[in-house]
Amino acid sequence: MAKPNLKSLSPMAFTQMTPTREEQIHAASSEKLPELLSYKANALALALHPEKQHLIVTNIIEHNKDTKSYVLSPNKEKGTDSLAWFNAGQYLSLSLTIGQHVLTRPYSLSSNPADVHKGNYMITVKRVTGGLASEYILDQWKIGTLVTASAPLGSFTYEPLRDAKTIIGIAGGSGITPFRSLAYAIANGLEDANLILLYGSRTLEDALFTEELQKLATDCPNFRLVNVLSDESKEGYEKGFITAELIKKYAPEGPYSIFLCGPQAMYEFADEQIKTLNIKPKYVRHELFGEYFNPSKEADYSAPETETVTITVRQQGKEQSFKANINTSILRSLEEQGIACPSHCRSGECGWCHSKLVEGEIYTPKALDGRREADSVFGYIHPCCSFPLSDIIIEVSPTIA
Amino acid sequence: MENNYDVIVVGAGNGGLTAAATTAKAGLRTLLLEKHNIPGGCASSFRRGRFEFEPSLHELCSVGSKENPYEIYNLFEELGAKVDWHYEHNLFRVIAKGKNGYDVTLKGSVDGLCNCLDEIEPGSGPKVKAFLNLKSKVDSAINYIYAKKGHPNKLVMILKHADFMRVASHSAEEVMTALEIPQKIQNILNTYWCYLGIPTDELSGMHFLNLLYGYVKFGAAMPHYRSHELSLSIADVITKNGGEIRYNSKVTEFLYNEEGRCIGVIANGQKLYAKEIISNIIPHNVYNMSSEHVVSERSLKLANARGMGMSFVTMYIGLDCTPQELGISDYTIFIQDDPTPRRQYETMNDGGFYIVNCLNNVVKDSSPEGSCTLFVTIPMHADNLPADLQPCDYKKYKNNIAEKFITDMEKTLGISVSEHIEEISIATPATFARYLDTPGGTAYGYSLNRWDNLMSRISAEKDDFQIQGLTFCGGHHTRGDGFSSAYNTGSAAGKKIVNKLKGGM
């Protein structure tokens, strides 16, 4: 029997390939090609993730002398026709110019996501004494102030395929903001979850949104608010800190997720408490750690001999050098020089500040090292949580014009 | 002058990276522009919690190893790009559902594969071997055509290279049927169609042969640290050789002189000029960013005639258990409602065909100890999204799809995924559109359909792209889909420019 072979196929078909292709091309239209945004995928991508959003302050709500909420609406004159959608728990990264400093700050969206349809976002700003951005915003922003923001960012969101259906929210101080948004999302049916919110503050007066959240809890069976007061005993409110005991008291029978948002000290305390609860790590989720300040407290940090180093920065073909302090993150040092750098989360996580360390040594605290593995191999760093240990040369991407 | 370069490469995808590395290494003043803040396009990675996910690479074809080097290994070596390669020695496991379904795992290497197939259908092994043996005939014909600078002697072709002519001009299934490879064996092998985006009853036999041969003979390769390692390793070559890379630098316009020669671009608001421009950007976008009179009628007609290639819904799942605890020992599992590629292609938008990868089975420590990742890929046509889908419903839309496939995967593989999900991220054609800016979020470019196949693209390259000073490379170019194809076209584009500007390379 003959071996199978290709004889049944005509080799001459080969000579027909080019003419066939030419015929197809010849028969096609010579019209202009469709614009990218005529494709659904591209239009949706742009609606969800605009490069930046031009906003305008349309309302200010004063909670107390040190905390205000700002309602932000699209600035159509500057080309933002509508707001990008967000999921409860996401944040905006604001681009600010304060004096000679050019910087960004992430603020959780505190508003009901459904308000996007009305053209409203809300962020809530609490004064941090000596805090460059919070003091500037609280003192300078007025109705009509123009604001440049990123698209909504971050993954501190409820994910039904991952999280337990009941969330125990642990909020400290202004860490209430993403939970306010989540509570409304649940009440509006945007998220199908239950939220039991343990909200720590010094006194009831220090707690934000108390009245409206209490009302929301009365109207919405899937949301419960528990104010936990550290410095005040008050009938009907929990007294003390948010301990494992307190979590157990309010936890449901079945599995539950814990979402935490608050100051760094709160995470330290709460994480210790949560350890004793023996719940799977997948059920514990933290909001961004926040900006990191003090590398010298880390056990694996060894300070260089001099407090001052030279940072040489290359950006878009230009180079400049300046003196910087070893206890200031590289990102902050750049911003202090008025050098605009890409950054969003400022907590080591989002990777937007991804930069090449051309020369020199840096320190990144392990807990904040959100780099991709190959980054360390090839010398890339996240300047937002990196501290110089020597003179360095760094290549920084431009911000998007 | 500051803004004058020898070469500007637009887009740091796989093609753009190898193109820029090639020109920089040859000493040309090279600028690589990228819209995103990291290189690679799809060849990248992203972090969620303690996981770092591979966004797109299933398995690199035609790599080879130090002992047995092939195209891609050589390409990286020549550039001096360092990659820690890991290899998968099985081809894949394929599960076809239904009453005539099967669940088979194919071994790699020619003998391994053919023995496997012989067990499934006695006598099929030698026939598949005959198919694989056609590769040397194809190579010798291609070498001859190159030696003749694309103008081979017709008589020599018909006398010496008739089988090549047959394989290049017929579909993979036509070739396999002529070799009497049984239908079931064809269906099993042809599962690979999805890597090239067009079913094997239409896909060029030569193109499919190249792919199959590359995997069977050289295994599938993966970098240790996801594709981000591949991209950074090439980026490193560019900068170490004096090239410049600018991120966050989206090109918004291509600039031409009065004769219609491409002389520069506008990126991030800045005008930049070069003797030669290499575009890793798909022609559709380049033409839309160029003044109308420079694009020839033929180029426009070609672009209009072509079909868009595939896009995907992909799920990235980080699990709080090991692959053993999960019950998955394979790297690649194809799951199909129907065993024939054509049906799979026709029903893919409805999810009749998907791929499950567990990277830990090739790169053990690709996630933290005690954990593993699953990468689920559902191929589909570009722009496959409901026309009325609103941003506010997008999360639910994604979760509904994910839930459907997780349930199906649990049932089909007899595993329990849901309870172990520690991180999950879901991409759709909109995600690919966001990061790649391609029409409809196609991952590679143009569909490799019957008339627009590998060989006819290569033959027509000069006619297809006529703008002086502008060279294309990437997954949308001659070799079509795949990381390896993009690397190869980038390298070829780079070499062409080096030749042009420096001569004699």
Side-chain angles (χ1 to χ4, degrees), chain A residues 5 9-10 21-22 26 29 31 34 40-42 158 162 191 282 285 351 371-373 375 398 401, chain B residues 37 45 47 52 166 178 228 248 268 288 298 301 304 383 387 389 395 421-423 438 440 452 464:
Chain A
N5 60 55
L9 307 176
S10 162
R21 190 169 184 274
E22 290 305 313
H26 185 73
S29 147
E31 291 285 296
K40 177 72 188 178
N42 302 75
Y158 170 67
R162 176 194 70 192
E191 303 285 5
K282 76 168 221 149
R285 318 208 66 90
R371 286 180 291 175
R372 300 161 173 95
E373 288 186 281
D375 285 338
Chain B
N37 78 327
S45 73
R47 295 261 327 239
E52 181 178 342
R166 294 181 170 103
H228 191 51
N248 291 353
N268 211 6
N288 277 339
R298 188 181 185 287
K301 281 186 165 210
N304 272 311
D383 216 28
L389 180 60
K395 181 176 173 181
I421 299 176
E422 181 175 321
E423 296 292 344
T438 50
D452 198 17
D464 286 352

Side-chain angles (χ1 to χ4, degrees), chain B residues 480-502:
Chain B
D481 298 17
F483 270 45
S484 306
S485 305
Y487 286 135
N488 275 318
T489 56
S491 167
K495 283 177 181 162
K496 178 187 131 184
I497 298 309
V498 172
N499 241 322
K500 218 165 163 180
L501 297 183
K502 297 194 82 173

Side-chain angles (χ1 to χ4, degrees), chain A residues 137-348:
Chain A
I137 292 172
L138 287 165
D139 297 340
Q140 303 293 325
W141 277 19
K142 300 179 175 61
I143 288 177
T145 297
L146 305 186
V147 178
T148 307
S150 68
L153 301 163
S155 51
F156 186 62
T157 52
Y158 170 67
E159 297 302 332
L161 297 170
R162 176 194 70 192
D163 302 323
K165 194 158 179 174
T166 296
I167 300 163
I168 303 267
I170 298 181
S174 59
I176 185 72
T177 49
F179 292 112
R180 179 183 187 267
S181 182
L182 182 59
Y184 278 104
I186 289 169
N188 272 41
L190 293 166
E191 303 285 5
D192 185 15
N194 308 308
L195 174 62
I196 299 162
L197 183 57
L198 309 180
Y199 178 20
S201 59
R202 288 196 300 111
T203 65
L204 190 60
E205 202 174 30
D206 290 317
L208 299 171
F209 305 112
T210 307
E211 230 167 273
E212 62 158 295
L213 288 180
Q214 278 173 351
K215 182 172 180 321
L216 190 67
T218 320
D219 297 345
C220 170
N222 301 327
F223 171 55
R224 179 169 186 187
L225 175 68
V226 180
N227 284 94
V228 185
L229 313 174
S230 61
D231 294 7
E232 183 181 26
S233 297
K234 222 175 165 103
E235 180 76 29
Y237 296 91
E238 291 289 348
K239 164 89 171 63
F241 292 103
I242 300 170
T243 59
E245 284 312 309
L246 194 75
I247 295 169
K248 276 195 257 182
K249 180 176 168 185
Y250 289 97
E253 288 286 317
Y256 58 91
S257 285
I258 297 180
F259 280 33
L260 299 99
C261 182
Q264 290 166 12
M266 185 197 93
Y267 292 145
E268 278 174 36
F269 179 81
D271 285 343
E272 286 302 315
Q273 298 292 315
I274 291 166
K275 264 189 207 159
T276 69
L277 292 171
N278 251 335
I279 58 176
K280 284 176 127 189
K282 76 168 221 149
Y283 287 132
V284 182
R285 318 208 66 90
H286 296 79
E287 175 51 314
L288 298 173
F289 185 76
E291 198 138 347
Y292 179 93
F293 287 101
N294 191 3
S296 60
K297 70 171 188 233
E298 301 290 337
D300 62 345
Y301 178 82
S302 54
E305 280 175 16
T306 114
E307 282 251 317
T308 308
V309 295
T310 300
I311 295 180
T312 302
V313 55
R314 295 177 185 163
Q315 195 179 34
Q316 234 172 337
K318 295 202 169 59
E319 185 176 301
Q320 53 184 307
S321 296
F322 59 89
K323 298 279 178 210
N325 188 288
I326 55 164
N327 293 312
T328 305
S329 75
I330 295 169
L331 176 64
R332 276 182 101 89
S333 292
L334 290 164
E335 289 175 340
E336 284 171 9
Q337 295 296 315
I339 299 169
C341 307
S343 70
H344 287 325
C345 79
R346 309 182 72 92
S347 308

Side-chain angles (χ1 to χ4, degrees), chain B residues 28-100:
Chain B
L28 294 177
R29 190 156 181 255
T30 302
L31 172 66
L32 174 58
L33 298 167
E34 166 57 42
K35 83 172 190 105
H36 194 32
N37 78 327
I38 50 169
C42 267
S44 172
S45 73
F46 66 96
R47 295 261 327 239
R48 286 287 181 278
R50 57 185 180 139
F51 295 91
E52 181 178 342
F53 292 102
E54 167 63 50
S56 66
L57 177 61
H58 289 89
E59 35 191 357
L60 252 167
C61 189
S62 301
V63 177
S65 59
K66 193 174 178 195
E67 296 71 35
N68 187 20
Y70 199 41
E71 285 178 4
I72 300 300
Y73 187 90
N74 289 335
L75 195 157
F76 276 74
E77 279 293 303
E78 273 168 32
L79 291 175
K82 299 270 173 287
V83 176
D84 181 6
W85 296 108
H86 290 243
Y87 298 91
E88 161 66 349
H89 297 289
N90 279 344
L91 291 192
F92 54 76
R93 175 178 172 194
V94 54
I95 299 172
K97 298 181 199 167
K99 64 177 186 329
N100 296 320

Side-chain angles (χ1 to χ4, degrees), chain A residues 1-15 17-18 20-22 24-36 38-49 51 84-85 87-88 117 153 155 157-163 189-192 280-283 285 315-318 342 349-354 356 369-380 395 397-401, chain B residues 2 36-38 45-47 52 82 127 134 158 162-170 174-175 178-180 225-226 228-229 232-233 235-236 239 244 246-249 268 270 284-285 287-288 292 297-298 300-306 308 320 383 385-389 391-392 394-396 399 402-403 406 418-424 426 429-430 433-434 437-441 451-453 455-457 459-460 464:
Chain A
M1 206 173 79
K3 271 192 180 172
N5 60 55
L6 298 180
K7 294 271 156 55
S8 61
L9 307 176
S10 162
M12 297 320 282
F14 187 80
T15 62
M17 289 168 71
T18 297
T20 307
R21 190 169 184 274
E22 290 305 313
Q24 290 282 343
I25 295 167
H26 185 73
S29 147
S30 55
E31 291 285 296
K32 199 173 175 307
L33 296 161
E35 293 291 332
L36 263 191
S38 67
Y39 294 90
K40 177 72 188 178
N42 302 75
L44 183 61
L46 182 66
L48 287 162
H49 309 285
E51 217 63 86
W85 181 256
N87 294 312
H117 296 309
L153 301 163
S155 51
T157 52
Y158 170 67
E159 297 302 332
L161 297 170
R162 176 194 70 192
D163 302 323
L190 293 166
E191 303 285 5
D192 185 15
K280 284 176 127 189
K282 76 168 221 149
Y283 287 132
R285 318 208 66 90
Q315 195 179 34
Q316 234 172 337
K318 295 202 169 59
E349 192 181 294
C350 79
W352 191 240
C353 62
H354 191 262
K356 176 97 191 236
D369 194 349
R371 286 180 291 175
R372 300 161 173 95
E373 288 186 281
D375 285 338
S376 321
V377 178
F378 289 97
Y380 292 84
E395 252 170 40
S397 298
T399 53
I400 292 171
Chain B
E2 209 172 274
H36 194 32
N37 78 327
I38 50 169
S45 73
F46 66 96
R47 295 261 327 239
E52 181 178 342
K82 299 270 173 287
K127 292 169 183 165
L134 289 169
I158 197 77
D163 274 353
F164 158 75
M165 292 169 74
R166 294 181 170 103
V167 176
S169 61
H170 290 83
E174 284 163 345
V175 175
L179 292 175
E180 297 173 15
Y225 296 126
R226 304 334 86 73
H228 191 51
E229 177 184 355
L232 290 190
S233 77
D236 206 40
T239 49
E244 189 187 334
R246 288 193 195 170
Y247 300 104
N248 291 353
S249 298
N268 211 6
Q270 205 177 5
H284 261 68
N285 292 5
Y287 298 162
N288 277 339
E292 268 174 44
E297 191 188 2
R298 188 181 185 287
L300 214 49
K301 281 186 165 210
L302 170 64
N304 272 311
R306 300 182 111 170
M308 278 302 154
D320 64 2
D383 216 28
L385 288 160
D388 57 352
L389 180 60
C392 60
Y394 185 56
K395 181 176 173 181
K396 279 194 175 137
N399 280 335
E403 198 172 1
I406 290 169
S418 303
E419 61 181 289
H420 294 294
I421 299 176
E422 181 175 321
E423 296 292 344
I424 182 164
I426 302 150
R434 174 187 177 192
D437 259 354
T438 50
W451 66 263
D452 198 17
N453 61 26
M455 193 62 215
S456 50
R457 284 187 187 188
S459 314
D464 286 352

